[in-house]
Amino acid sequence: MSAPGCRIAVLISGTGSNLQALIDACAAGTIPGRIEQVLSNRDKAGGLARAQRAGIPTGIIRHTDYADREAYDRALARQLEQAAPDLVVLAGFMRILSDTFVDAFHGRLINIHPSLLPAHRGLHTHERALAAGDRQHGCSVHYVIPALDAGPVIAQGVLGIQPADTPATLAERVQRLEHRLYPLVVRWLAEGRVQMQGDRVCLDGEPLAQPPGIAPLEA
């Protein structure tokens, strides 16, 4: 990918708060690229309205219209290919993608997960972090590979768990951190600073020993 002009597609299922952070960063010129398409598997995803207000083409591909995951993912990939994206960003897309789909977008498909991977892959991360007695929690941006939440981590946002935290307060604090982290990582990718080489992430041509992190954001 080269700057300027990274072509970005975003997949959503919900309200699209991370999508909005990306829209704002593109509009401000922080990300040297353009969101070419926003797709959702749900008709009522609030993020569709956010995209439409920003003048971004949207589409709905309902998973309920397809017999199985493979058929759905083929339709999704065909629609994405029309936008010829350099980068496909999962922003609250609540679907497990097939291996075929992931392989088709290898090295240009990323996700943000609300935990410090490899800890707490899957769902209910805030509850699990509290139950485990973790001292820190946060979010991770990672490349998507066929194994769930197991792709190489590009960067993480870290915050300290406070004694009074509940799953709800953690979710709110982590989401604010996501809104800082995701645009930063997408910027790096759009600038060509980050690549996946094998099972490792390279930043500015150097393999990362560990993911860089945003300083804890307390509020």
Side-chain angles (χ1 to χ4, degrees):
M1 281 173 278
S2 60
C6 180
R7 297 173 63 85
I8 303 165
V10 183
L11 304 184
I12 63 169
S13 295
T15 60
S17 66
N18 273 310
L19 168 65
Q20 188 65 58
L22 297 174
I23 290 172
D24 293 345
C26 287
T30 305
I31 295 173
R34 174 183 171 87
I35 300 175
E36 300 287 344
Q37 187 179 65
V38 173
L39 299 178
S40 177
N41 64 315
R42 295 178 177 169
D43 301 66
K44 296 182 180 180
L48 293 170
R50 295 178 187 266
Q52 290 160 4
R53 287 194 294 269
I56 300 168
T58 62
I60 301 167
I61 304 178
R62 303 171 187 84
H63 58 274
T64 53
D65 291 343
Y66 295 85
D68 54 37
R69 182 177 297 161
E70 292 284 349
Y72 177 79
D73 283 3
R74 285 194 297 270
L76 182 62
R78 284 194 299 268
Q79 184 66 33
L80 278 172
E81 285 164 358
Q82 294 181 17
D86 299 306
L87 182 65
V88 179
V89 178
L90 307 183
F93 187 62
M94 302 305 291
R95 295 277 303 170
I96 295 176
L97 295 164
S98 65
D99 292 4
T100 300
F101 182 95
V102 171
D103 289 342
F105 294 95
H106 178 78
R108 52 187 176 128
L109 179 62
I110 64 170
N111 181 49
I112 192 163
H113 182 74
S115 80
L116 298 176
L117 292 173
H120 310 311
R121 295 172 180 167
L123 301 175
H124 309 300
T125 61
H126 312 305
E127 292 89 343
R128 291 159 62 197
L130 289 171
D134 293 348
R135 294 184 177 182
Q136 290 185 319
H137 191 44
C139 51
S140 306
V141 178
H142 65 96
Y143 282 105
V144 178
I145 65 171
L148 181 65
D149 298 330
V153 175
I154 303 169
Q156 294 181 317
V158 183
L159 52 77
I161 294 179
Q162 299 173 354
D165 268 325
T166 66
T169 62
L170 268 185
E172 181 181 354
R173 293 169 63 218
V174 168
Q175 187 176 67
R176 291 201 299 270
L177 193 51
E178 290 177 1
H179 297 165
R180 295 179 60 214
L181 183 67
Y182 223 0
L184 174 63
V185 173
V186 171
R187 175 183 178 177
W188 290 347
L189 286 155
E191 292 173 339
R193 296 183 59 196
V194 172
Q195 296 86 31
M196 181 168 66
Q197 296 185 5
D199 61 354
R200 302 192 70 178
V201 173
C202 290
L203 176 62
D204 296 331
E206 295 294 329
L208 292 176
Q210 62 184 25
I214 287 181
L217 176 67
E218 302 294 352

